[in-house]
Amino acid sequence: MIVGAGIVGCALSDELTARGWTDVTVLEQGPLFATGGSSSHAPGLVFQTNSSKTMTEFASYTVRKYSGLTLDGQWCFRQVGGLEVATTPERLAELNRKHGLATSWGVSGTLLDPEQCADLHPLLDRDQVLGGFHVPTDGLAKAVRAGEAQARRAIERGARFLPHHTVTGFESAGGRVTAVVTDQGSFPADVVVSCAGFWGPKIGRMAGLAVPLVPLAHQYARTTPVPELAGHNTDELEASKPILRHQDRDLYYREHGDRIGIGSYAHRPMPVDLDDVAHPSAGAARLPATPQTPQTLPTPQMPSMLPFTEEDFVQPWADSQALLPALARTKVEEGFNGIFSFTADGFPLLGESPDLRGFWVAEAVWVTHSAGVARAMAEWLVEGTPRTDVHECDLNRFEPVQLAPAYVHERSCQNFVEVYDILHPLQPMEQPRPLRVSPFHTRQRELGAFFLEATGWERPHWYEANKDLPEVAAVPGRGAWASRYWSPIAGAEALATRERVAMYDMTALKRLEVTGPGSLAFLQYLTTNQLDKPVGSVTYTLMLDETGGVRSDLTVARLGRDRFQVGANGALDLDWLTRHLPDDGTVQVRDTTAGTCCIGLWGPLARDLVQPLTDEDFSHKGFGYFKAKHAYLDNVPVTAMRLSYVGELGWELYTTADCGPKLWDTLWEAGQPLGVVVAGRSAFNSLRLEKGYRSWGTDLTAEHNPFEAGLGFAVRMEKGDFLGRQALLGVTEATVPRRLACLLLDDPQAVVMGKEPVYVDGAPAGYVTSAAYGYSIGASIAYAWLPRAAADPGTRVTVEYFGEQLPATVTEEPLFDPKMTRIRR
């Protein structure tokens, strides 16, 4: 059962039936196929390029699929191209960066000068434009038409579409959905997918699921006829010029025959209460005509189209006339505020409810990504996993604090405000903060911590208290973009870690406790490495999906016969483990993150600091690498694990949250004679790249297998069966088609940020994942996915950074301490 016959529901019915799932019913509360939801009024602009590889792939598939669709001889997608123009130097630089993103993700685009922009779109005032970015495969989608075309194909394969069926509830048994209840009766179903758009939260509540999106109104207007467009477009074709974005003023444009449509984000967020939205059968209020907005054309009667707020369009109208002077001879003929879905992080909501099996959602999906999302959902349902990595979009990615209605509302509204802003990769949301702080937060503020935020946690990136460290003078400068959310202090902290000893707050990393008589067998099946080791052992291991893709990497500490502490990457790991729990109750999984804390104590003097505080033997012989033990550091009980993500001697020291401040003070006071420093995430990232340590979600995802990622050492094929093992049979590092490779840039000050394209022999061949300056080695590091033949050490490549080609060389890894002597001493 699919709830909603908008473009996402129609696309999903097509993708499912094409894969043999023909017993599909689509329920729609409105008429078919202009249902009254967002698809019915969407202007249909499809710009493919996105900073997310996943979202770009969704859009590119949408373009490919809809380009091949027709409905009764009418087009569903017109590839008129997309043009983004810059009117400020900052935007021009951003378009250069966007060209790099497009190249990384396989979208062909061209940077243009002002003359070329005006040639493509003659309505532009070329004196306003500094340059542009043109993607010829972008274009216009007719959402209702494309939806019906896909629905017809699904119907031919056996699907049925039932209009005017309003969902009123769900039936379930044994924690699984069994039927959909409507005002027209009940429909048995073992799989339900909610594709209800901005009505998604209402449908979710009926299933006991919070769907964290906010419906927001967005202005769209059409002008009276533009004389310059007379005779250029037929009613059938609608447009001949590229769809246009003026992101410096939060505006976009498309042709409607001889008129121009204008979409504006240049207004206050206007959240919509679903209780105030009419049922599709009721229509919508019409905007009364005014001298400023004479309505000579009828306004469609749809609940998703709210009255136009003229006061919000005054400045956008002036800005539009400045960019497109021909509009000065026109008026706004009609307008509306259309409802769209926004989320707290700007990504869709895809996946299965954690509490009601068989109930899935595909929400907060725009027309741009509709077919790509539908394909991924169909693969997920039919094959068990999507072939495109969807961790950024997974419904279960949020921490509980991120599901608070106030949080969802504020962050979603901020995403509306920032939809066209130039956003730095490290730029955090400003509100609501702080939400989650470690027990060390007060001490960190006293030391001048500069905090960034992730999953609600305040995480220090460097400390102003270290500004007078002598190592600061040895840290080279970097370009303006890479200098944002960075300080040379971070370099000093990295060097101090290598030279003395440093304290890192590792509290934000998720910790899970797995217990019970079946815990070892459970973890053995879900991970790749050998965990059947003595109590006190710690193991680095991977979780795979059925295709052999890496879902996560973990550290698993065996703290008792039937008790394990799992160092995980986030909420998705907890969800994955929970979904695979045996039904017999022999295994329990508990998130212990909030009640615990952790300090990473690393550096050549780490043992000199910690040994005097305890009666336990912390020597190399008494406490080996990848071992764990319980100890008291002065008065503080800790679980110490001899691990190092920075490539130095040291320990992760865990204690309960109530003892956190005492642990901090104890280590800080004991470390003063040794020159201890506090250090942040910026130093941490540099140090881990010098050692070649991977970061899941950045360096690798479920699209990559362990051998491609250089993690084959964590796979023990001989240990017995584990999830994903069959997919790895016969796979080795020598047979994979691509590798994650280490690059050193020729220019040590040319620090890149990630996602830049990498060229081999002048052609795009891969993209950067993680990058940082290596302070210990005096070089700029970038990791990148490359074809296996190009990943051999010594290969010369170039990295495109804001339009500049930076020479680099593939290099052996690890770059620092390859024999691991500093860790194992």
Side-chain angles (χ1 to χ4, degrees):
M1 303 295 296
I2 296 173
V3 179
I7 194 165
V8 179
C10 291
L12 180 57
S13 71
D14 183 38
E15 295 287 340
L16 285 173
T17 55
R19 288 167 173 78
W21 279 29
T22 55
D23 186 7
V24 173
T25 299
V26 182
L27 300 173
E28 171 53 52
Q29 64 178 340
L32 299 176
F33 284 90
T35 63
S38 299
S39 299
S40 304
H41 66 71
L45 284 74
V46 178
F47 288 92
Q48 297 167 82
T49 308
N50 192 290
S51 61
S52 164
K53 178 175 180 286
T54 295
M55 298 301 283
T56 300
E57 289 180 354
F58 284 165
S60 295
Y61 179 72
T62 299
V63 166
R64 294 195 301 274
K65 183 177 186 182
Y66 293 173
S67 294
L69 287 179
T70 59
L71 183 72
D72 298 330
Q74 296 178 305
W75 60 272
C76 293
F77 186 84
R78 278 203 28 91
Q79 216 158 51
V80 295
L83 176 62
E84 302 178 48
V85 295
T87 59
T88 64
E90 294 79 11
R91 182 67 61 180
L92 187 62
E94 173 70 0
L95 294 185
N96 275 270
R97 188 171 77 101
K98 183 166 282 189
H99 175 266
L101 289 169
T103 304
S104 290
W105 312 147
V107 175
S108 179
T110 307
L111 292 166
L112 306 179
D113 62 27
E115 293 293 325
Q116 292 170 313
C117 292
D119 288 343
L120 271 177
H121 205 297
L123 297 187
L124 282 169
D125 180 355
R126 69 189 64 199
D127 293 333
Q128 294 274 329
V129 177
L130 301 180
F133 174 53
H134 178 234
V135 175
T137 54
D138 289 344
L140 287 169
K142 298 289 284 187
V144 174
R145 198 180 287 171
E148 183 174 353
Q150 292 173 97
R152 288 188 186 181
R153 299 201 308 197
I155 291 168
E156 289 175 359
R157 302 183 190 113
R160 60 176 177 166
F161 280 69
L162 302 179
H164 307 297
H165 281 64
T166 300
V167 174
T168 59
F170 299 94
E171 296 175 0
S172 63
R176 184 172 188 91
V177 68
T178 58
V180 183
V181 182
T182 78
D183 59 354
Q184 306 291 322
S186 295
F187 296 83
D190 54 0
V191 175
V192 176
V193 187
S194 177
C195 302
F198 63 78
W199 278 290
K202 182 178 180 180
I203 300 298
R205 282 194 296 271
M206 298 177 192
L209 175 68
V211 178
L213 67 80
V214 174
L216 285 155
H218 158 55
Q219 286 202 309
Y220 193 77
R222 291 196 201 191
T223 69
T224 54
V226 180
E228 286 80 354
L229 292 180
H232 282 253
N233 303 311
T234 65
D235 289 339
E236 179 189 351
L237 295 181
E238 290 189 25
S240 56
K241 296 169 185 60
I243 54 177
L244 180 65
R245 282 207 285 208
H246 182 21
Q247 291 172 293
D248 286 320
R249 292 295 183 267
D250 296 314
L251 295 165
Y252 63 82
Y253 309 90
R254 59 155 292 182
E255 295 166 282
H256 292 279
D258 60 356
R259 293 164 168 80
I260 292 290
I262 306 170
S264 172
Y265 293 101
H267 56 80
R268 61 202 160 90
M270 292 186 275
V272 177
D273 188 335
L274 287 177
D275 292 336
D276 296 334
V277 179
H279 191 277
S281 62
R286 264 201 77 184
L287 172 67
T290 70
Q292 289 77 28
T293 57
Q295 291 197 339
T296 58
L297 292 182
T299 299
Q301 302 295 299
M302 293 183 184
S304 58
M305 299 172 70
L306 304 181
F308 196 64
T309 50
E310 302 165 29
E311 65 274 16
D312 292 301
F313 201 66
V314 173
Q315 188 60 50
W317 180 235
D319 291 334
S320 295
Q321 293 174 86
L323 183 72
L324 306 173
L327 298 187
R329 295 184 290 280
T330 70
K331 296 179 179 180
V332 176
E333 186 170 58
E334 63 175 340
F336 63 93
N337 289 357
I339 304 176
F340 289 89
S341 300
F342 282 77
T343 61
D345 59 5
F347 287 97
L349 303 169
L350 313 178
E352 186 182 23
S353 165
D355 301 315
L356 183 61
R357 299 301 168 89
F359 184 83
W360 295 70
V361 302
E363 306 288 20
V365 181
W366 292 7
V367 172
T368 301
H369 309 105
S370 55
V373 163
R375 180 180 65 170
M377 290 295 297
E379 291 167 349
W380 209 342
L381 288 164
V382 177
E383 302 172 19
T385 186
R387 298 179 189 178
T388 299
D389 170 61
V390 295
H391 82 273
E392 295 169 310
C393 311
D394 196 305
L395 168 71
N396 300 292
R397 65 189 180 269
F398 297 108
E399 295 290 325
V401 71
Q402 297 175 291
L403 295 175
Y407 178 97
V408 175
H409 183 273
E410 187 162 7
R411 289 285 172 102
S412 298
C413 288
Q414 186 62 25
N415 263 307
F416 178 91
V417 171
E418 295 179 349
V419 69
Y420 278 173
D421 285 2
I422 299 171
L423 299 177
H424 191 272
L426 296 176
Q427 184 171 335
M429 285 280 194
E430 295 301 326
Q431 296 297 332
R433 288 178 63 190
L435 282 176
R436 308 172 82 186
V437 297
S438 79
F440 319 129
H441 188 68
T442 299
R443 297 291 186 265
Q444 292 165 345
R445 291 182 62 185
E446 291 169 353
L447 292 167
F450 180 87
F451 293 100
L452 296 179
E453 179 263 352
T455 62
W457 284 104
E458 296 294 321
R459 305 205 295 183
H461 275 241
W462 68 84
Y463 294 83
E464 288 297 321
N466 294 325
K467 69 180 186 305
D468 294 325
L469 288 176
E471 290 88 353
V472 171
V475 176
R478 53 175 66 182
W481 185 250
S483 292
R484 295 187 64 187
Y485 305 101
W486 173 83
S487 167
I489 296 170
E493 293 171 359
L495 292 171
T497 304
R498 294 277 189 239
E499 296 162 2
R500 299 189 296 280
V501 61
M503 294 165 52
Y504 290 82
D505 182 1
M506 307 299 290
T507 301
L509 301 182
K510 185 168 284 292
R511 291 171 292 286
L512 307 175
E513 183 182 71
V514 180
T515 57
S519 54
L520 174 61
F522 171 70
L523 290 171
Q524 280 280 74
Y525 176 69
L526 288 182
T527 68
T528 60
N529 213 334
Q530 178 58 261
L531 303 183
D532 190 4
K533 299 176 180 177
V535 171
S537 298
V538 184
T539 306
Y540 176 81
T541 188
L542 310 173
M543 288 197 302
L544 309 181
D545 62 22
E546 293 86 347
T547 70
V550 182
R551 280 197 59 94
S552 189
D553 62 343
L554 313 171
T555 54
V556 179
R558 192 172 194 180
L559 302 181
R561 183 179 182 274
D562 297 321
R563 182 164 69 91
F564 296 82
Q565 178 174 307
V566 176
N569 281 298
L572 291 178
D573 293 342
L574 174 60
D575 179 67
W576 185 256
L577 292 174
T578 302
R579 289 181 185 277
H580 287 85
L581 283 172
D583 295 331
D584 58 10
T586 57
V587 184
Q588 297 81 43
V589 177
R590 185 169 67 98
D591 186 348
T592 61
T593 310
T596 56
C597 58
C598 177
I599 293 176
L601 184 73
W602 292 304
L605 302 182
R607 185 176 288 118
D608 297 323
L609 192 159
V610 74
Q611 185 64 80
L613 298 174
T614 182
D615 294 332
E616 294 289 336
D617 184 358
F618 271 58
S619 70
H620 180 60
K621 183 176 180 181
F623 196 159
Y625 191 50
F626 266 83
K627 300 296 182 184
K629 67 169 63 177
H630 297 291
Y632 283 90
L633 299 184
D634 197 9
N635 293 309
V636 182
V638 300
T639 298
M641 298 186 193
R642 192 167 167 203
L643 310 174
S644 178
Y645 205 50
V646 301
E648 292 293 336
L649 170 69
W651 292 265
E652 292 179 358
L653 303 170
Y654 297 91
T655 191
T656 51
D658 59 327
C659 292
K662 185 62 176 176
L663 175 62
W664 180 282
D665 291 345
T666 298
L667 296 173
W668 182 247
E669 181 179 351
Q672 292 308 303
L674 302 172
V676 68
V677 302
V678 287
R681 296 290 302 179
S682 186
F684 181 87
N685 191 55
S686 170
L687 295 169
R688 69 103 179 165
L689 284 181
E690 290 179 342
K691 288 297 295 178
Y693 295 146
R694 278 52 169 157
S695 174
W696 187 87
T698 302
D699 295 317
L700 69 155
T701 68
E703 292 185 358
H704 309 106
N705 72 49
F707 299 99
E708 293 174 320
L711 298 176
F713 67 87
V715 178
R716 294 290 183 267
M717 297 292 286
E718 72 281 1
K719 78 165 185 174
D721 192 28
F722 57 84
L723 184 59
R725 183 179 185 276
Q726 285 296 117
L728 298 184
L729 292 174
V731 180
T732 67
E733 292 188 4
T735 62
V736 295
R738 59 185 174 180
R739 290 288 307 278
L740 185 62
C742 178
L743 313 181
L744 284 182
L745 275 64
D746 290 4
D747 182 353
Q749 293 189 349
V751 179
V752 301
M753 301 297 296
K755 302 185 179 181
E756 296 85 1
V758 180
Y759 292 75
V760 177
D761 295 329
Y767 60 91
V768 173
T769 58
S770 295
Y773 185 78
Y775 304 101
S776 310
I777 64 171
S780 189
I781 308 166
Y783 272 78
W785 283 102
L786 292 174
R788 181 164 53 90
D792 292 335
T795 303
R796 293 288 289 168
V797 301
T798 58
V799 178
E800 181 184 328
Y801 184 66
F802 286 92
E804 182 181 1
Q805 297 294 318
L806 304 176
T809 303
V810 178
T811 309
E812 292 275 7
E813 56 173 332
L815 298 165
F816 182 83
D817 188 26
K819 295 184 178 180
M820 306 285 280
T821 57
R822 295 174 72 95
I823 293 176
R824 295 189 171 99
R825 61 180 174 185

